[in-house]
Amino acid sequence: MAKKMKLGELLKKAGLVTEEQIVAAIREQQPGQKLGDLLLEKGYITEQQLIEVLEFQLGIPHVSLFRYPFQFELVKLVPIQFARKHIIIPLSRENNILTVAMHDPMDYYAIDDMEMYTGFSIKPVIAAKADILEAITAVYKEAETGEARNDVAAEAAPAIRIVEQLIAAGVQLKASDIHMDPYENEVQVRYRIDGDLRRERTLPKSIQAAVVARVKILANMNITETRLPQDGRIKLKMENTHVDLRISVLPTVFGEKVVIRILDLSNVIKGLDELDFSEDNFKKYSHLIEQPSGLILFTGPTGSGKSSGLYASINHLNREQYNIITVEDPVEFELQGVNQMQINSNIGLTFATGLRSILRQDPNIIMVGEIRDSETAEIAVRASLTGHLVFSTLHTNNAIASIPRLMDMKIEPYLVVSSVSGVVSQRLVKRICRDCKEAYSPSSVEAELLGRHSLDNEILYRGRGCNSCKQTGYKGRMAVHELLVVDDQIRDLLIKNRSVDEIKQAAIENGMKMLIDDGLEKALQGMTTVEEVLRITVDS
């Protein structure tokens, strides 16, 4: 009887979720999306809690796949597309019973399909989603590599399947980039997950050319050109996920290196409340972007989430009464209801020329992908002074440094001071894994650091390492911010040409939190670690 209970009922019975949370999640559920995945995504439960409930309530054992001795002949019974779709992998066989690791052992349709595929009775066991996906990548690639080595003459077919597998694995693992690094005797494949590169697989040198050619064909590149760098783009739909891939091919000593940047379009457009602002910064930023004019800047290094902030802001303001136009390089995500322009330097369409044309299109809100030169900076500044709300990005180490940076671009100081209404500086830090988070007493060094920043707490948090986070203690990333609101006092100091330190002190007295302060407060709340905060704020 318990076997056919629904997941929501099991979790409610275990006291992990309420009826209201289940109803709210079901309302947001997309076609093909599983309730368990949505509850995990919303933070109502952890994966470890889900596994424990299923294990206890259904009597289905939980297994760890770390260094599991997979049998290739059993894996071949289930197609990789099916394995990825349902997040399953065969483990062992005894007589007519096939034991299969499943992320969702209540997926009875998948069990029925497997019984039809294989001809065996299926005995499900529970494993973590990430463990199964990694096992699929590792085990199927071994079988594929063997096939490729034994069938070099038929290179094209394995290459097509390998490229498909690499991309699918990247999407499933939530990687931001896939690197194919050519060496003398092999090609290493690495995935950038939560900011760190991790080697996942090695391809035989014999299929390197075929794999690179396949990527080039998909990206509409010149497959005969191997001496010059090339860039391209691929749009795919993988199961229920729309992904946009940016391809970069670079000639090296041992062949062409390929980097594939993965943009998961289903997860990219965030709401303002998903940008990880503290409560105070959220209120201030929400007020800033509701103003009819002004220049709002996002600053930080490449890969710090500036684009996510820009798109979330534009999406929040995307209303019928506003004419919103962007000029970008490249257009990363397509927004319904927003006019987006792609710059093309080869024909003279730069940020500056694009921005000039935009101003003749009666815009209310303008987004400039990046302020790179004096001409673009001056047009953006003047646009904000003539009644437009302008968003852009700038490369500086902190929020206050953005204003002298604009002045260094030969913009008149009074124009800069009058136009800039706010600057957000941000960095990404790793989140503590929710499945293995534990409290601990701060060390003397940590306690002294907290004291210096007027923070006092007897408890900090860290991840002890588990299967869910691959023993790292971290899973996912989040942003820490400093938000400079340019009010009358700050403008007065800027006009008087006061030092950056004086401006900083005045901003802090008015409630601005520096990056390290925002980070340490999030560490005290158990979101990240002091170590991570120090990693991204040392140079700031």
Side-chain angles (χ1 to χ4, degrees):
M1 188 75 178
K3 185 183 177 186
K4 292 295 181 183
M5 282 182 74
K6 291 183 177 179
L7 178 61
E9 294 169 3
L10 291 177
L11 294 171
K12 196 167 68 169
K13 184 179 176 183
L16 294 176
V17 294
T18 63
E19 179 71 28
E20 291 74 23
Q21 287 173 325
I22 293 171
V23 170
I26 289 172
R27 264 196 224 106
E28 293 181 27
Q29 206 170 358
Q30 300 296 316
Q33 186 178 29
K34 293 187 176 179
L35 180 62
D37 288 339
L38 186 53
L39 293 171
L40 285 169
E41 188 182 300
K42 293 182 74 65
Y44 293 154
I45 56 172
T46 69
E47 186 162 34
Q48 194 59 38
Q49 288 173 329
L50 178 59
I51 287 171
E52 286 171 2
V53 165
L54 293 173
E55 187 173 20
F56 178 74
Q57 297 285 359
L58 303 181
I60 297 175
H62 164 229
V63 298
S64 171
L65 301 184
F66 184 62
R67 292 183 179 168
Y68 194 91
F70 291 98
Q71 302 171 39
F72 293 138
E73 64 273 14
L74 295 181
V75 171
K76 290 177 184 175
L77 294 171
V78 179
I80 188 170
Q81 293 84 357
F82 184 90
R84 285 199 189 283
K85 180 178 179 182
H86 295 285
I87 313 178
I88 61 97
I89 191 165
L91 299 181
S92 61
R93 174 192 160 197
E94 188 174 343
N95 298 322
N96 198 42
I97 297 174
L98 184 66
T99 300
V100 177
M102 301 184 70
H103 169 57
D104 178 9
M106 301 177 74
D107 188 345
Y108 305 117
Y109 292 112
I111 292 172
D112 290 344
D113 287 346
M114 272 190 289
E115 288 181 338
M116 222 163 28
Y117 264 129
T118 64
F120 296 113
S121 295
I122 301 299
K123 176 186 172 185
V125 294
I126 308 167
K129 180 178 182 178
D131 281 1
I132 297 175
L133 291 172
E134 284 213 2
I136 290 170
T137 299
V139 177
Y140 278 90
K141 66 100 177 177
E142 285 294 338
E144 196 67 60
T145 300
E147 179 184 339
R149 284 192 175 120
N150 295 330
D151 191 13
V152 176
E155 281 183 344
I160 291 169
R161 289 197 296 275
I162 286 170
V163 170
E164 185 180 311
Q165 287 173 23
L166 293 177
I167 295 170
V171 172
Q172 293 278 15
L173 294 169
K174 299 191 183 304
S176 60
D177 302 88
I178 306 170
H179 288 241
M180 298 185 212
D181 300 312
Y183 295 101
E184 187 174 4
N185 299 312
E186 64 185 18
V187 178
Q188 289 184 6
V189 179
R190 296 182 294 169
Y191 291 89
R192 189 176 293 281
I193 300 170
D194 294 340
D196 294 332
L197 279 171
R198 201 166 76 199
R199 192 169 94 177
E200 290 288 336
R201 139 171 224 184
T202 302
L203 301 177
K205 191 72 174 176
S206 60
I207 64 166
Q208 176 184 332
V211 168
V212 173
R214 176 60 184 166
V215 172
K216 286 181 173 180
I217 288 168
L218 289 172
N220 291 318
M221 293 180 182
N222 181 355
I223 63 170
T224 63
E225 179 55 76
T226 59
R227 299 165 300 168
L228 294 173
Q230 294 189 67
D231 296 306
R233 185 172 179 174
I234 306 170
K235 283 192 174 183
L236 296 174
K237 182 177 182 184
M238 310 198 74
E239 296 168 18
N240 294 317
T241 304
H242 289 275
V243 291
D244 197 346
L245 308 175
R246 300 292 159 76
I247 316 296
S248 173
V249 178
L250 184 76
T252 71
V253 173
F254 295 114
E256 292 173 288
K257 172 179 167 67
V258 177
V259 175
I260 302 174
R261 169 148 288 191
I262 303 172
L263 304 172
D264 183 345
L265 301 181
S266 62
N267 293 325
V268 89
I269 306 300
K270 298 181 176 181
L272 285 186
D273 57 348
E274 297 175 282
L275 294 180
D276 305 314
F277 279 122
S278 65
E279 187 176 345
D280 184 48
N281 281 343
F282 179 78
K283 287 178 184 172
K284 289 178 179 176
Y285 187 72
S286 299
H287 178 72
L288 267 182
I289 67 172
E290 291 294 344
Q291 302 307 303
S293 64
L295 176 59
I296 297 174
L297 298 169
F298 275 80
T299 78
T302 301
S304 59
K306 299 189 296 293
S307 293
S308 294
L310 286 179
Y311 278 101
S313 305
I314 291 295
N315 203 41
H316 177 78
L317 296 169
N318 190 2
R319 302 162 196 163
E320 185 182 352
Q321 64 266 39
Y322 294 145
N323 177 22
I324 304 175
I325 308 180
T326 74
V327 53
E328 307 172 58
D329 181 28
V331 173
E332 293 193 20
F333 315 113
E334 294 169 7
L335 292 171
Q336 184 71 30
V338 175
N339 305 283
Q340 296 171 271
M341 180 192 295
Q342 166 80 53
I343 77 163
N344 186 344
S345 302
N346 294 331
I347 59 170
L349 180 54
T350 62
F351 277 118
T353 55
L355 189 48
R356 250 194 228 96
S357 299
I358 282 175
L359 291 173
R360 294 192 286 271
Q361 288 280 316
D362 185 32
N364 300 98
I365 298 165
I366 299 167
M367 184 183 99
V368 185
E370 183 183 345
I371 293 178
R372 295 178 181 171
D373 54 56
S374 300
E375 191 179 5
T376 307
E378 181 165 1
I379 302 168
V381 163
R382 291 188 182 277
S384 69
L385 291 172
T386 53
H388 305 91
L389 184 60
V390 182
F391 292 89
S392 192
T393 68
L394 203 61
H395 285 284
T396 59
N397 285 334
N398 55 60
I400 294 171
S402 299
I403 295 177
R405 174 84 179 95
L406 286 174
M407 293 177 181
D408 288 343
M409 289 181 166
K410 308 291 188 248
I411 311 300
E412 291 291 342
Y414 76 91
L415 291 177
V416 175
V417 171
S418 304
S419 64
V420 179
S421 52
V423 184
V424 180
S425 179
Q426 72 176 50
R427 303 288 189 279
L428 295 180
V429 294
K430 295 175 189 170
R431 283 184 187 272
I432 296 173
C433 172
R434 293 172 63 231
D435 286 325
C436 62
K437 183 166 78 172
E438 62 180 13
Y440 72 98
S441 299
S443 67
S444 58
V445 173
E446 289 170 330
E448 195 264 334
L449 174 67
L450 292 172
R452 277 207 315 270
H453 290 269
S454 305
L455 298 168
D456 184 26
N457 205 316
E458 295 181 2
I459 297 175
L460 284 173
Y461 299 88
R462 64 191 169 202
R464 64 179 175 275
C466 65
N467 287 337
S468 180
C469 63
K470 301 291 165 284
Q471 308 303 323
T472 63
Y474 297 105
K475 195 170 184 182
R477 291 194 290 174
M478 65 179 298
V480 296
H481 307 92
E482 62 185 35
L483 171 58
L484 172 67
V485 177
V486 183
D487 57 17
D488 290 340
Q489 182 186 0
I490 300 295
R491 285 195 177 94
D492 186 54
L493 291 171
L494 287 166
I495 289 169
K496 291 176 179 175
N497 203 24
R498 300 294 190 188
S499 70
V500 169
D501 286 339
E502 278 186 84
I503 297 166
K504 176 181 171 181
Q505 190 55 43
I508 290 171
E509 287 171 4
N510 287 345
M512 172 179 157
K513 290 190 182 77
M514 304 304 289
L515 276 172
I516 193 165
D517 297 305
D518 189 48
L520 289 174
E521 287 187 9
K522 285 169 178 170
L524 290 175
Q525 293 165 22
M527 299 177 183
T528 188
T529 62
V530 170
E531 180 185 6
E532 271 295 287
V533 175
L534 290 177
R535 178 183 65 80
I536 57 93
T537 57
V538 167
D539 294 329
S540 301

